[in-house]
Structures are given as C-alpha cells and as structure tokens.
Amino acid sequence: MLGLRRFDVNLSILFTDLPLTARPAAAAAAGFTEVELWWPWPEDPEPPEAELAALRDALSAAGTRLIALNFYAGRLPGPDRGALSVPGEESARFRANVDVAAGFAESVGCRALNALYGNRVDGVAPGAQDALALENLAYAARAADRVGAILLIEALNAVESPRYPLTDVASAVEVVDRVDAATGLGNARLLLDLYHVAMGGSDPRDAVDRYARRAGHVQIADVPGRGAPGTGGLDFADLFSRLDGAGYGGPVGLEYRADGPGADAFGWLAEF
C-alpha cells in the first residue's frame, strides 16, 4: 500500500504556454497547492522588485505555496547548467543573486533553494572550479540558513549535460558533505532527480534505496522523453513505494514535459 505523498508542479516546465504570473492559478485549477520554479529570470539575477512582487502576488492570489526555487543558473533551459563554479562574470552573477533569491524565498515561505553547480570551463583547472564552487555553495548555504531554508545540490545526467561534473548521485552527496563541513550548518541536502538518474544509465531504484535519506527534495519525469509517468519505462509505483520505505516524506516535484496544457498532463495521478 502506497503512503500519502505530496506532489508539486514545476512551473518552469509545465504551464509554459501561459505567462509566468498566470501559472500559479493554472496549477491551482489542476489541483495543486504547492509549486516549484527554476530561477524565472534566466538573464537577470537581480530582477526589478516589481517583477518579484508580481510573482509573489500571483502565488498568493492562487493559494499556492512555492516550496523550491533555483538560484540563478544562467540560461536554463539552454546551454548553461549553473553559474557558481564558473569563474568571472557568471560567478559574480550567482553571488549577486543569492540574497535576492533567499529574500524572495523568505517572503513566500519557500524552504528549499537549489544551486546548480555549473559546467566545466575550457582552460580552467577542475580543482580551481571546485574550490570556487565550495566557496559559493557555503555562501549560499549561509544565506539559506538565515531564512530558514535548506540548500539543495543535484546531479544531472551526462547524456544531456556532458560538461557538468556532478553526473551521479554519489558525487552530489560528496559535495553536500563538503558544504556541511565548511559551514557547520548541516542544511545542505541532496536533490534526488530520478529522471537524471535513469537518463544517466543508473538504476533509480538503487538510487532511492541508497540516497533517499539524504534527500531534501525529489523530482520525477519518465524515461525516455522526459514525459509524465506512464509515457516511458520507469515503474513509479515501485519507486514511490521505495521512497516510503526509505522514510522520505517530502514533496515529489513534477518536472516533466507535457504535450497538452492544463490538467490533461496529470491524469496519471489518479493511480496514486
């Protein structure tokens, strides 16, 4: 018997036929009370207060709560996979965004902030990037702690993100541990994205069994295709049961693509 669980909808990949400020209401109409977002302004780590306020008001008016938010990560979707390990302007943009994102999270009651590591850069030693990453992740962890939030770190898959250094869950967990050791705060957690696990060629069942206890957030999409559960080959009934068995009681983020807008994307949820 599957336990009760919370599903939230990612408004950066679903309802994208609508303006950003219309998406919370669409999610509410589809039955969701919790949502998550990539950084909504990929070209601007410090958007005008009016834009932040408009999103804040849209969330409130819809009765939806933002439960996870990315820090600035460059052009996402697009060629970038984060900024915090990229020397120069991109790292500076990440730093400038940290207090903005944390402040917005605090204002809407969001308690999880995701920091994408960033791609390897030609001509820069990996060790230098990793040192910069640790410095910036510790900075972000401290900002998250000030607003009562956790810092999330995730692995992506090497098929779609070949220059991203964290392409297996174990490497992301190692970074989580390094950040906690550097800050002493213990608020860094794994973002366990089962789509990326499976796309990378690993067994998502094993990832859940091994690492769900380290997770502060879980995301799903089916493989192949990054569609809704049931469009690919993953056994979500088994994966959800394993999450239950591992004691994961947090939200499961729906970070998949859908062919049609609105509630048609969520028919599979009736099974759960």
Side-chain angles (χ1 to χ4, degrees):
M1 177 123 180
L2 294 175
L4 294 174
R5 67 182 43 79
R6 295 157 51 199
F7 292 103
D8 73 271
V9 62
N10 189 304
L11 298 181
S12 295
I13 196 169
L14 287 162
F15 300 111
T16 54
D17 56 312
L18 300 173
L20 175 64
T21 53
R23 295 176 205 171
F32 294 93
T33 59
E34 296 180 330
V35 299
E36 61 183 75
L37 279 164
W38 304 339
W39 183 246
W41 301 276
E43 302 294 337
D44 191 353
E46 300 177 274
E49 174 56 33
E51 295 189 29
L52 295 165
L55 177 56
R56 188 183 301 116
D57 291 346
L59 291 164
S60 177
T64 53
R65 187 166 76 91
L66 184 68
I67 62 167
L69 174 68
N70 281 14
F71 287 111
Y72 169 78
R75 291 162 294 174
L76 188 72
D80 300 328
R81 295 293 184 270
L84 62 91
S85 69
V86 180
E89 182 179 352
E90 278 299 273
S91 176
R93 286 162 71 85
F94 174 82
R95 279 267 182 159
N97 172 253
V98 165
D99 285 340
V100 177
F104 183 80
E106 183 179 32
S107 74
V108 297
C110 177
R111 297 291 178 258
L113 289 158
N114 183 35
L116 286 169
Y117 201 85
N119 289 329
R120 290 302 192 205
V121 177
D122 290 339
V124 180
Q129 283 196 255
D130 292 338
L132 177 62
L134 181 57
E135 179 182 338
N136 281 332
L137 285 167
Y139 183 81
R142 294 185 183 102
D145 183 68
R146 288 194 295 272
V147 300
I150 60 173
L151 176 74
L152 297 172
I153 297 167
E154 73 173 309
L156 305 182
N157 73 81
V159 176
E160 296 171 321
S161 304
R163 299 180 69 84
Y164 191 81
L166 310 183
T167 55
D168 60 82
V169 179
S171 62
V173 170
E174 288 176 2
V175 173
V176 167
D177 289 340
R178 288 200 291 270
V179 173
D180 280 343
T183 65
L185 295 171
N187 70 330
R189 302 297 299 275
L190 171 70
L191 194 166
L192 180 58
D193 188 317
L194 299 179
Y195 166 78
H196 285 298
V197 171
M199 271 297 294
S202 296
D203 188 338
R205 297 169 299 180
D206 181 63
V208 170
D209 294 346
R210 286 174 178 262
Y211 298 112
R213 290 175 180 83
R214 305 296 308 273
H217 191 57
V218 171
Q219 292 174 331
I220 62 168
D222 216 335
V223 174
R226 199 169 187 171
T231 61
L234 297 185
D235 183 347
F236 283 96
D238 180 56
L239 290 171
F240 294 153
S241 181
R242 288 171 184 270
L243 285 168
D244 292 342
Y248 178 76
V252 174
L254 309 184
E255 196 183 43
Y256 55 75
R257 300 186 182 96
D259 292 331
D264 291 342
F266 310 113
W268 66 274
L269 281 164
E271 180 182 350
F272 301 102

